[in-house]
Amino acid sequence: MLNLLVVNNDPVLCKRLVNGMMMYVKNTRICGISYTVKEAIEIVKKQKINVILLDYDMPNGVARKFLDFIDENNPDNKISVVLLISKDENEKLITNKCVSKMIHKSNELAPVVYALREISGNNTTFKQSIIKDKIYKELEKLQYNFSYIGTQYMAEAIYELYSKNYIYTGGNLSKNVYPTIAENHNTTVNNVKCNITSATRAMTQRCSKEVMEDYLFCDENETPKVKEIMYKIINRL
């Protein structure tokens, strides 16, 4: 979910922009509407903002000062600015690194919608890759063998449980999770289940007793179930 701040001193245009974003851009939440840069700075300080839709033509050059503020206070480049500029503006003079898109102002909302959709898509993909990387690192701690297809299925099943929030609704692996993985790999649900079981069995033989007890809270004679392992990993993400 992208947190969006709209900075524009034209209330009519602000209304059009906000209504358009709410209607046509998914995974976006309007966190603020500011008619002044001073107010916008306070919102950025107090809230986690991902994207700022900024009118560069605000009077007295305040938009340029605001861009400088974002550059100075955005070391990890977590805030992207979509800049609305007039057609006679020299884009080459706008060098702030926080600006990801420059759009000529018009009565059409489409360019703004497309820009925000692109940023939203990139942000979602980036977050997905971070979660998947964490899952693989947790499986590595448990000594899962990555040469097994079952380990790959295991990682995908954990991500499916996590992303769909099945962990909170008691998702059935064979009904809700394994069919998705089977479809992605053009195989059967039973094949997915058997390979995950096989990879997990091999893991219990490779993993040290200390790690098993500490990570999975199981004693020496207890064999952890696949779903229990998945939930333990999810709780560590």
Side-chain angles (χ1 to χ4, degrees), residues 34-233:
S34 176
Y35 299 139
T36 68
V37 161
K38 182 179 180 181
E39 183 182 25
I41 289 174
E42 290 304 311
I43 293 173
V44 171
K45 288 180 178 179
K46 295 177 181 178
Q47 296 195 53
K48 182 181 179 181
I49 302 297
N50 305 117
V51 183
I52 299 171
L53 185 57
L54 173 65
D55 186 350
Y56 195 67
D57 294 331
M58 294 175 71
N60 301 319
V62 292
R64 292 190 292 275
K65 296 177 183 178
F66 182 60
L67 288 176
D68 291 339
F69 167 80
I70 297 298
D71 272 348
E72 293 171 4
N73 294 274
N74 184 33
D76 298 325
N77 297 318
K78 293 182 178 180
I79 300 176
S80 298
V81 178
V82 176
L83 210 56
L84 299 178
I85 63 176
S86 60
K87 291 184 178 180
D88 58 352
E89 188 72 52
N90 189 341
E91 297 181 16
K92 293 182 180 180
L93 297 179
I94 304 173
T95 59
N96 300 76
K97 61 180 182 294
C98 61
V99 177
S100 59
K101 293 283 182 181
M102 285 187 274
I103 300 172
H104 289 144
K105 289 195 290 186
S106 70
N107 292 324
E108 296 293 328
L109 284 175
V112 180
V113 169
Y114 293 147
L116 291 177
R117 282 180 177 175
E118 181 181 350
I119 293 172
S120 177
N122 292 339
N123 185 66
T124 300
T125 301
F126 178 66
K127 287 183 177 180
Q128 287 175 347
S129 66
I130 291 176
I131 295 299
K132 290 177 180 179
D133 184 57
K134 287 182 177 179
I135 290 171
Y136 274 99
K137 287 181 179 178
E138 294 303 317
L139 290 172
E140 187 177 20
K141 290 178 185 178
L142 289 172
Q143 297 295 304
Y144 269 87
N145 190 330
F146 288 92
S147 67
Y148 291 179
I149 187 64
T151 300
Q152 181 179 341
Y153 292 164
M154 181 76 168
E156 293 181 20
I158 293 169
Y159 182 78
E160 188 73 8
L161 279 170
Y162 176 86
S163 62
K164 300 292 179 57
N165 289 323
Y166 286 136
I167 189 172
Y168 302 113
T169 59
N172 185 297
L173 294 177
S174 295
K175 291 182 179 179
N176 302 124
V177 178
Y178 292 165
T180 300
I181 299 168
E183 183 179 354
N184 291 340
H185 291 273
N186 194 28
T187 187
T188 65
V189 170
N190 186 61
N191 187 45
V192 170
K193 181 178 180 180
C194 289
N195 275 286
I196 288 177
T197 300
S198 178
T200 301
R201 186 182 302 113
M203 176 276 290
T204 60
Q205 296 170 356
R206 287 161 52 91
C207 192
S208 69
K209 295 177 182 178
E210 292 77 16
V211 172
M212 292 275 287
E213 291 174 3
D214 180 62
Y215 198 108
L216 302 173
F217 304 109
C218 59
D219 57 37
E220 183 177 344
N221 299 318
E222 184 181 358
T223 301
K225 296 180 180 179
V226 167
K227 194 170 185 178
E228 292 175 352
I229 297 172
M230 291 180 178
Y231 277 36
K232 293 291 185 183
I233 290 176

